[in-house]
Amino acid sequence: MKLFNFPYVIRKEILYNMESSNIFLLSFVSEELREFIKTSQIRRYKNISHVEYNCCTTGEPFIYISYKGFMQLIMKIEEREETEQDYFPLNVSGKMIDFRMSNGFPAASYHPDERESVIKAIHNYFLDLFKNSVKYHWLASDYNHPIVQLQNLSLTCNLNLDRNFADMENLENFLSSAPVLKRVNMSVGTTTEPFSPDSKLYEAESIKVTQHSPTVPDILSRFQGRQAFLRWTNNGGDLELELWRFVNRWISGETFQNLEYLKVEIPKTIGPQFLNLISARRIDEEDQPPTHTLPKVYVDFGFEPNTEPITSHAYVVRRTDGHVASVKVQGLLFCFGVWNKTEDEFLKMVRSPY
């Protein structure tokens, strides 16, 4: 079908009824088609928030777009199978790449020495198409496949460190190769090696860790990011002491300057006396304290987009700038939400029943 034989309105209607994956494939056919798609699909593209390179254990990315909050597969990138004969060449950002259809989706192929150049060519195409209107994520499920260095790229990874894990050097090298560490979701057993004090792990904007020991990794001492979600599985040691040390570090203002939210699930109940230990200040019980919640740095598909609300009469104040953090201790849960407000500004949000 020769698309340009049809009037402009008909061409737009044809594209409107096409799947996103087919539109992207069509845009590689010619410069004229690419420009037409680019200008006619502005409304569609405005609903795309990010592009995700989802790497399975083989290191071959599945490329998704987040369209209106739903993930849509638009393309695969895979090593070429020489036994297949149904490839067709297309020009992507000045590089000829062989494509084929695989299970109804376009698959860009590469020879073993071309993996990086093929991924870069496709990424450059997205940069030209979307400019800076979308974000780009590299999602890894292991640390054995290198991250391709791409412009405006951030890393999100899901890692499982088995019991007696002893490959810390390679893990640290993998994390260090990420230009921006967006989110780390990690399960840590009993490792035989500690994390480096200056590990890139602590620079992640958001971190979610299930850990045997509260100090491996030592999030409550070294975290430099914005949001942390922790679950401690070993009830040995003084867990309240670790939380007390964290709160005092935050109050001092010497660390955690970027922290917005912390949630810690622990295996034993925190007593109400903990609030006295941290010298928490109190809002009158008859008053209604403000509720702390904010958008998550990274939202897993199907999960709530905002942090769990914190409504608490207890709070602490940072010495260096007078900013407030709400503190909630309830059963097996410790929550800490930082406000971008001084104590006076914070207390103005308290609602009195009178």
Side-chain angles (χ1 to χ4, degrees):
M1 181 178 69
K2 295 183 177 181
L3 191 62
F4 285 99
N5 287 345
F6 295 97
Y8 179 82
V9 175
I10 301 299
R11 279 181 271 155
K12 281 192 67 176
E13 186 67 21
I14 291 171
L15 293 181
Y16 178 80
N17 289 284
M18 290 178 67
E19 296 290 338
S20 295
S21 58
N22 292 327
I23 291 178
F24 281 105
L25 182 63
L26 187 63
S27 69
F28 297 146
V29 171
S30 70
E31 184 70 20
E32 186 180 19
L33 262 174
R34 185 177 70 86
E35 288 303 314
F36 170 66
I37 290 172
K38 188 175 180 179
T39 56
S40 66
Q41 298 300 296
I42 292 175
R43 181 174 296 180
R44 183 195 292 245
Y45 291 161
K46 281 184 176 179
N47 289 307
I48 297 174
S49 62
H50 68 268
V51 175
E52 179 177 278
Y53 299 90
N54 190 322
C55 288
C56 55
T57 53
T58 61
E60 298 181 337
F62 286 71
I63 304 179
Y64 291 84
I65 57 172
S66 178
Y67 180 74
K68 293 184 177 180
F70 293 93
M71 302 301 291
Q72 296 182 359
L73 177 63
I74 60 168
M75 191 186 310
K76 295 194 298 182
I77 302 178
E78 61 184 18
E79 188 170 343
R80 184 184 175 94
E81 297 181 18
E82 299 300 339
T83 57
E84 300 290 340
Q85 302 298 321
D86 54 349
Y87 289 101
F88 50 92
L90 292 173
N91 188 327
V92 182
S93 302
K95 181 177 178 61
M96 297 305 297
I97 299 175
D98 286 340
F99 283 80
R100 71 185 182 100
M101 298 304 294
S102 175
N103 297 320
F105 292 94
S109 68
Y110 62 86
H111 293 286
D113 61 343
E114 292 183 315
R115 176 179 179 268
E116 182 170 323
S117 63
V118 167
I119 293 174
K120 281 187 173 181
I122 292 172
H123 185 72
N124 288 336
Y125 168 83
F126 289 137
L127 289 173
D128 178 68
L129 185 64
F130 299 125
K131 306 301 181 188
N132 294 321
S133 64
V134 305
K135 298 178 181 178
Y136 301 92
H137 298 163
W138 185 282
L139 177 59
S141 57
D142 63 34
Y143 59 91
N144 298 314
H145 299 93
I147 304 165
V148 179
Q149 300 300 305
L150 304 173
Q151 185 178 341
N152 297 345
L153 185 72
S154 61
L155 171 65
T156 297
C157 54
N158 300 314
L159 302 173
N160 184 21
L161 309 188
D162 295 330
R163 186 175 182 178
N164 298 324
F165 175 80
D167 195 19
M168 193 63 72
E169 182 178 357
N170 287 327
L171 172 60
E172 295 279 21
N173 289 339
F174 172 79
L175 295 174
S176 296
S177 70
V180 176
L181 199 50
K182 191 73 174 178
R183 197 282 295 262
V184 175
N185 182 10
M186 180 184 292
S187 177
V188 183
T190 53
T191 67
T192 58
E193 302 173 78
F195 285 81
S196 168
D198 58 354
S199 172
K200 185 72 175 279
L201 171 70
Y202 300 124
E203 298 178 18
E205 288 188 49
S206 176
I207 193 165
K208 182 179 180 181
V209 183
T210 298
Q211 53 194 128
H212 181 76
S213 166
T215 58
V216 183
D218 195 2
I219 304 298
L220 292 191
S221 292
R222 305 188 182 279
F223 186 55
Q224 302 166 38
R226 294 166 51 194
Q227 298 173 10
F229 307 81
L230 311 180
R231 185 164 74 90
W232 299 341
T233 59
N234 181 15
N235 62 8
D238 194 338
L239 303 184
E240 285 192 14
L241 178 60
E242 296 297 332
L243 295 174
W244 176 83
R245 286 171 174 165
F246 156 75
V247 174
N248 279 276
R249 289 187 191 105
W250 185 87
I251 290 175
S252 74
E254 297 174 0
T255 187
F256 305 116
Q257 284 85 359
N258 300 319
L259 185 67
E260 300 172 342
Y261 182 86
L262 169 69
K263 175 182 176 181
V264 185
E265 299 175 57
I266 64 177
K268 59 183 180 182
T269 302
I270 305 174
Q273 73 279 1
F274 178 78
L275 295 175
N276 296 326
L277 291 175
I278 62 173
S279 301
R281 304 183 187 186
R282 306 294 184 112
I283 295 170
D284 290 342
E285 288 300 320
E286 64 270 17
D287 291 339
Q288 177 63 41
T291 297
H292 180 284
T293 186
L294 70 166
K296 291 179 180 177
V297 168
Y298 185 90
V299 182
D300 290 297
F301 181 72
F303 283 74
E304 288 294 325
N306 296 325
T307 59
E308 186 174 319
I310 302 173
T311 304
S312 175
H313 288 83
Y315 67 94
V316 291
V317 180
R318 189 159 50 196
R319 295 194 190 103
T320 50
D321 58 10
H323 282 198
V324 167
S326 294
V327 183
K328 181 179 180 180
V329 176
Q330 185 174 12
L332 305 178
L333 196 62
F334 171 84
C335 293
F336 192 87
V338 181
W339 295 86
N340 187 25
K341 295 183 181 296
T342 64
E343 184 175 18
D344 287 342
E345 293 168 334
F346 171 75
L347 291 176
K348 287 179 181 178
M349 297 190 296
V350 174
R351 295 201 301 271
S352 171
Y354 306 108

